[in-house]
Amino acid sequence: MNISNVIVSDEIDKKGIEILDRNGLKVTYKPDIEKEELLKIIKDYDILIVRSRTKVLRDVIDASNLKIIARVGVGLDNIDVKYAKEKGISVINAEEAAMSSVAELVIGLMIGLARGITKADTSMKNGKWIKKELVGYELKGKYLGIIGVGKIGKRVGRIAKALGMNLIGYDVVQIDKEFVRETNMITADLDTLLKNADYITLHVPLTEQTRHMLNKDKLMLMKKSAYIINTSRGGVIDEDALYHVLKDGMIAGAALDVFEEEPPRNIELVRLSNVICTPHIGAQTKEAQELASTIVAEKIIQKLRE
Ligand code: NAD
């Protein structure tokens, strides 16, 4: 492929840009570009590199002469992959880069829920000493339900196992047998997992099949004492239903890194006292960003050599 003009329309780690520069590509870095401007200039570029902010839908694709769209991250739900492929555009991502970062955040959020860490911190900053109210739980011996046992789900499972948790897994494909043997994971259908787990963590992509896979009926299957952690995509849980089950005490609590709309429209959900929120920081570590940017740049160079 004889192409060279690259536009980067979201903030990415510089390592990837250095690799592209070294390989003779001309890179325009516009991490704050507005959609109107992107639509005007996109025709001049062969390669578009994005993270989550830029939505690469039909309008952008139709205005372009792109050969490659690259996402410095895992999920591709901000790109119309089907349409891009119909137009002969290659779509590249960095599947492996965020595994440890997201998994470690999940464990942090789970401990945060179990021990009321955010509540403890807020109360102390307000000059209170509410020790008696802060009787928490150990994770050891509890059942962790993992929905989507892929790269991140497995990493979470391995760390949770080391903390003495028992694992229950659900996936649409057969779960890696070696992993099941290694961790003694109980494999189950979705309803069985929801009814039995003390903590439930979601690691599925957002697709037509997974959108609102946890609706009110499914959430109502959970134990009243159970917690849910979502670091996958906001759309996999029906947020309005989640708000009601949390508010009515039908489940114990939730930790959310992702939202149906970001920043979240559903501010009542964020404000509930049994909810911990983070602003989509699953992959927001120095290591994950550097790795994602490097992987994507190397995949682009590889593609150009084909
Ligand atoms: P992966 O492809 O390795 O694993 C996803 C798993 O989900 C697969 O095993 C797949 O079979 C399973 N799955 C798909 N549809 C399903 C369904 N309907 N029911 C049950 N299981 C289903 O992906 P991964 O690297 O583990 O990442 C998982 C998701 O995490 C990504 O798609 C992305 O949306 C999200 N993510 C979030 C952040 C963040 O910043 N919070 C960062 C990276 C990734």
Side-chain angles (χ1 to χ4, degrees), residues 74-75 77 95 98 102 147-153 170-173 203-206 209-210 213 231-233 257-258 280-283:
V74 184
D77 42 290
E95 285 186 336
V102 179
I147 301 175
V149 191
K151 287 181 288 299
I152 299 173
Y170 165 70
D171 202 300
V172 273
V173 300
H203 300 291
V204 292
L206 180 62
Q209 289 72 45
T210 61
M213 74 185 286
T231 59
S232 62
R233 282 293 180 267
D257 183 49
V258 287
H280 201 148
I281 57 166

Side-chain angles (χ1 to χ4, degrees), residues 20-264:
L20 297 173
D21 279 342
R22 270 204 305 278
N23 281 273
L25 299 186
K26 190 165 166 284
V27 182
T28 305
Y29 187 59
K30 286 190 174 254
D32 302 315
I33 189 169
E34 293 299 334
K35 188 169 177 180
E36 292 70 39
E37 195 194 342
L38 182 67
L39 283 171
K40 264 188 224 154
I41 64 168
I42 191 70
K43 61 179 183 324
D44 300 328
Y45 296 92
D46 310 298
I47 302 173
L48 170 63
I49 300 181
V50 304
R51 272 186 72 194
S52 306
R53 192 188 68 100
T54 305
K55 310 286 174 247
V56 193
L57 305 178
R58 277 175 182 251
D59 51 356
V60 175
I61 294 171
D62 282 337
S64 79
N65 299 305
L66 289 170
K67 305 290 182 299
I68 299 175
I69 300 168
R71 167 137 205 276
V72 180
V74 184
L76 288 169
D77 42 290
N78 57 322
I79 299 170
D80 189 338
V81 177
K82 192 165 170 274
Y83 191 59
K85 289 196 171 154
E86 273 170 35
K87 294 265 170 179
I89 303 171
S90 302
V91 179
I92 285 171
N93 65 343
E95 285 186 336
E96 319 80 349
M99 193 174 71
S100 293
S101 294
V102 179
E104 289 174 18
L105 180 67
V106 172
I107 302 296
L109 291 172
M110 200 155 54
I111 297 174
L113 286 168
R115 303 301 298 271
I117 294 174
T118 51
K119 192 172 172 187
D121 177 60
T122 307
S123 61
M124 287 208 60
K125 287 192 167 82
N126 288 324
K128 297 195 185 107
W129 185 263
I130 58 164
K131 180 170 175 163
K132 279 191 189 144
E133 286 174 37
L134 289 169
V135 178
Y137 300 96
E138 289 185 354
L139 296 183
K140 182 166 168 273
K142 301 297 185 303
Y143 282 80
L144 172 64
I146 303 178
I147 301 175
V149 191
K151 287 181 288 299
I152 299 173
K154 283 198 278 192
R155 181 77 190 137
V156 170
R158 287 197 169 97
I159 307 174
K161 186 74 193 164
L163 293 172
M165 298 187 86
N166 304 299
L167 308 184
I168 311 174
Y170 165 70
D171 202 300
V172 273
V173 300
Q174 193 185 37
I175 301 170
D176 180 354
K177 282 188 188 152
E178 189 54 46
F179 172 79
V180 169
R181 226 187 342 263
E182 173 196 328
T183 58
N184 291 324
M185 174 178 260
I186 301 162
T187 56
D189 58 51
L190 182 59
D191 288 6
T192 306
L193 181 153
L194 291 169
K195 284 179 196 162
N196 290 285
D198 301 300
Y199 294 84
I200 291 165
T201 183
L202 287 144
H203 300 291
V204 292
L206 180 62
T207 63
E208 283 315 308
Q209 289 72 45
T210 61
R211 187 176 296 281
H212 287 194
M213 74 185 286
L214 295 193
N215 55 22
K216 187 159 189 197
D217 289 346
K218 294 292 182 198
L219 291 167
M220 294 287 281
L221 294 176
M222 288 172 62
K223 298 200 257 188
K224 262 189 149 182
S225 56
Y227 293 95
I228 193 158
I229 299 111
N230 189 13
T231 59
S232 62
R233 282 293 180 267
V236 303
I237 306 182
D238 176 343
E239 265 180 13
D240 290 330
L242 180 65
Y243 170 76
H244 286 291
V245 295
L246 284 161
K247 186 167 165 285
D248 298 344
M250 304 306 293
I251 66 172
L256 307 170
D257 183 49
V258 287
F259 304 86
E260 291 204 71
E261 205 177 295
E262 294 180 358

